[in-house]
Amino acid sequence: DGTAVHWYAGGMDRLLDGAQGNPNMHRMVSELDVMDVRKDHVLLGSEACHCPTTGYAGGDLSIAWARAMRNVHTILADLAAGSNGFIEWNLILDSIGGPNHLGNLCDSPVLAVPHRALDAEKDFPAQLSFEHAGHPFGEVHGDNKTREELNAEGSPAKYLDVGVVVQPMYYYVGHITRFVRPGSRAVHGLVGASAGDPEVRTFRPKGQRVAGGGINDL
């Protein structure tokens, strides 16, 4: 048995979003304890995402990386509050974040852009027939950038050449899935000072295999 949580309510309030509604996550975990649920009760964040549309469509490097950080912040905060795992809502979408029958366009780690492939026909459409949303947020700025520009911004050209945009979000989600393996347990700790450079915090004791390191503002 278990409980799956989404991050929005009827008015799109981010009540269970780890980045904004983190206290609510802790309250829910406390309520489960009060209800005396089984200890093997699973709590699962079932919709990690960022909306609207995509970082590629926005065309701004800072936006794409900020979205990636925002998405992973949600996941990590949910895990810290007691979630047993997470589900990335979308793994691959088109350039604007669809298709979606409600026009609810969202971001994803990987985007399908077959019109950018090296072997794509010259008149291959940038938007396929199954996408009915059009361009509700304006033009797709990523389509106006060269493969070299996108590569410099963190979307490898080798994948773009086969019609795929690998966004910064992919690497953030990949880091969690590589190092936070099934059976992992949260270890609480406070870091009040850093040795050496004040901009660097180290969470990997010498000689020990502990996932972590870098700057963490959670």
Side-chain angles (χ1 to χ4, degrees):
D1 294 339
T3 302
V5 296
H6 278 10
W7 54 251
Y8 60 85
M12 293 304 288
D13 300 313
R14 306 178 82 96
L15 298 180
L16 292 176
D17 174 353
Q20 292 187 19
N22 185 250
N24 293 327
M25 283 293 298
H26 285 279
R27 291 189 190 98
M28 184 173 67
V29 172
S30 296
E31 285 297 319
L32 291 176
D33 288 338
V34 171
M35 294 167 62
D36 198 27
V37 300
R38 292 167 50 115
K39 294 300 182 183
D40 59 355
H41 185 90
V42 175
L43 181 61
L44 184 64
S46 55
E47 194 172 282
C49 66
H50 198 302
C51 306
T53 194
T54 68
Y56 175 81
D60 188 317
L61 174 62
S62 61
I63 291 176
W65 284 100
R67 280 170 166 256
M69 294 174 67
R70 176 70 172 68
N71 188 56
V72 77
H73 192 179
T74 298
I75 295 169
L76 290 176
D78 281 350
L79 293 174
S83 180
N84 297 102
F86 73 96
I87 296 175
E88 187 70 31
W89 191 24
N90 303 291
L91 291 179
I92 183 168
L93 296 170
D94 64 19
S95 63
I96 65 171
N100 183 294
H101 69 288
L102 293 177
N104 182 24
L105 305 175
C106 288
D107 221 335
S108 67
V110 179
L111 304 176
V113 288
H115 60 288
R116 296 296 302 260
L118 290 179
D119 60 354
E121 297 179 5
K122 189 175 182 180
D123 57 350
F124 197 94
Q127 201 168 86
L128 299 179
S129 59
F130 55 70
E131 180 57 83
H132 301 293
H135 295 89
F137 298 99
E139 65 177 321
V140 178
H141 294 286
D143 282 345
N144 298 325
K145 293 193 173 185
T146 67
R147 62 189 298 277
E148 289 75 21
E149 289 174 323
L150 291 170
N151 186 72
E153 293 180 357
S155 296
K158 64 179 181 179
Y159 300 123
L160 188 66
D161 290 345
V162 295
V164 174
V165 172
V166 177
Q167 299 201 106
M169 192 182 296
Y170 172 86
Y171 300 102
Y172 278 80
V173 173
H175 188 78
I176 297 176
T177 57
R178 287 188 185 95
F179 293 107
V180 185
R181 304 302 301 161
S184 298
R185 293 185 177 274
V187 178
H188 295 279
L190 295 175
V191 179
S194 304
D197 189 340
E199 296 300 319
V200 176
R201 295 177 181 175
T202 302
F203 301 94
R204 189 185 302 276
K206 185 177 180 179
Q208 297 184 31
R209 299 180 64 183
V210 179
I215 298 175
N216 189 333
D217 64 354
L218 284 178

